[in-house]
Amino acid sequence: EAGAASPPEVHLNSYVRRYGRLGGFGHIVYGSKGYLYPMTHALDRKELSRLMTKYFAFQPALLAKVDTFVDDNFHSDFVLGVHYRGLDTVQHYPYYKIEYGYFWDEMAHVLVSRGLPLPPKVHARSKASAAIEGSGDASAYPYSIFVATDEAEFLEQTRERFAPVPVVASEAPRKSSSDTVPLHKDHSLANYVKGESVLIDARLLAECSYIIKGRSGVSEASLVFNPEVPYSFFISRTEIYRDSMPSSGNPERLQFEPK
């Protein structure tokens, strides 16, 4: 109306206002942890994906890098995607770094649940009665693993533990787990390189058959890029969401699994 006052501007520049009390955004989380995702509580992943597709476009050069990596590395029928965010993860809930072993155990759980063999070092640690031990020959494993991480040690140790299963990763920058400066605050790295590598890893995770992730907007973007991919989401050492049928928005299809 003429003469009506303009509505106040809203600036999403505060961590608490943007992401809620414990931070984060992405898929609907129901139950006692519903407040983790205030921004998207009314939208499921299919709707988020539709909005992303409608209003955002990626540069063809970036998509070409993703396609080339997939063609060169994703040859298996099943590709397990793992996103481990270390470095600055202690700055948000649960305010400690989840040790690598928790992620390796969840990787084994996902593989066993699909009847896939475990490499010898992983099988020795597994407590699952249905676990199948594979041989030392890479051809015995009809799957591969894609790792996105900011910690060089996680990639190195995952390759060692899951050998001879192929464990692949992009050329994204990584740092030692002992480094106190996270990648996005490292001024020695060009901002374009940091931004491009994050988008490439997020898109590559979206190409995987299953995603195991912690708290991070990188892998949560992957859940929007591919609203059908199932995933395991670590909240803490003892809390994990396993969503095997993620696209419906039905709270009964989202499982909360205390570990």
Side-chain angles (χ1 to χ4, degrees):
E1 297 178 7
S6 299
E9 292 185 359
V10 176
H11 298 274
L12 297 179
N13 55 8
S14 167
Y15 186 82
V16 173
R17 283 204 302 267
R18 248 180 112 188
Y19 299 131
R21 181 162 67 86
L22 300 182
F25 63 95
H27 184 34
I28 300 171
V29 175
Y30 294 86
S32 62
K33 293 288 190 293
Y35 54 79
L36 288 169
Y37 296 104
M39 287 187 69
T40 58
H41 190 66
L43 300 175
D44 63 23
R45 284 166 59 194
K46 278 192 173 180
E47 177 62 10
L48 288 171
S49 182
R50 184 190 70 80
L51 293 171
M52 175 72 72
T53 302
K54 181 176 180 179
Y55 292 108
F56 292 87
F58 289 91
Q59 294 181 354
L62 185 146
L63 294 178
K65 291 181 179 181
V66 172
D67 291 341
T68 297
F69 187 94
V70 170
D71 292 341
D72 291 345
N73 296 281
F74 287 11
H75 301 145
S76 307
D77 292 335
F78 186 84
V79 180
L80 178 59
V82 183
H83 181 217
Y84 183 85
R85 176 188 174 190
L87 296 181
D88 66 333
T89 190
V90 297
Q91 297 176 8
H92 57 66
Y93 183 85
Y95 306 109
Y96 56 76
K97 187 181 294 187
I98 298 175
E99 293 80 3
Y100 298 166
Y102 287 90
F103 276 71
W104 295 333
D105 286 348
E106 183 64 13
M107 292 164 68
H109 169 82
V110 171
L111 295 171
V112 169
S113 69
R114 281 154 178 75
L116 296 170
L118 299 179
K121 288 184 179 180
V122 180
H123 185 271
R125 178 186 171 95
S126 175
K127 299 177 182 178
S129 58
I132 304 169
E133 183 175 5
S135 68
D137 186 347
S139 63
Y141 303 91
Y143 62 90
S144 58
I145 298 169
F146 170 72
V147 169
T149 183
D150 55 359
E151 288 195 0
E153 291 91 338
F154 180 76
L155 175 58
E156 295 166 1
Q157 293 179 34
T158 300
R159 280 176 167 158
E160 179 184 355
R161 180 169 293 270
F162 281 82
V165 174
V167 177
V168 300
S170 72
E171 296 181 358
R174 297 178 189 90
K175 306 182 76 172
S176 170
S177 60
S178 62
D179 200 311
T180 58
V181 180
L183 283 168
H184 64 279
K185 294 184 178 180
D186 188 336
H187 299 302
S188 69
L189 297 170
N191 287 335
Y192 184 87
V193 172
K194 290 185 282 189
E196 182 186 55
S197 64
V198 163
L199 286 173
I200 288 175
D201 272 355
R203 294 288 306 206
L204 288 172
L205 284 167
E207 296 290 331
C208 294
S209 311
Y210 193 103
I211 297 174
I212 297 174
K213 64 184 294 312
R215 298 180 58 78
S216 172
V218 177
S219 45
E220 284 167 11
S222 305
L223 303 182
V224 177
F225 296 150
N226 180 359
E228 301 296 340
V229 64
Y231 68 96
S232 298
F233 174 26
F234 276 97
I235 302 294
S236 68
R237 294 186 186 108
T238 58
E239 301 167 294
I240 184 170
Y241 282 96
R242 293 190 180 115
D243 188 356
S244 60
M245 296 177 287
S247 63
S248 73
N250 184 335
E252 294 179 356
R253 301 178 80 178
L254 184 64
Q255 300 176 41
F256 174 65
E257 301 272 352
K259 285 179 66 64

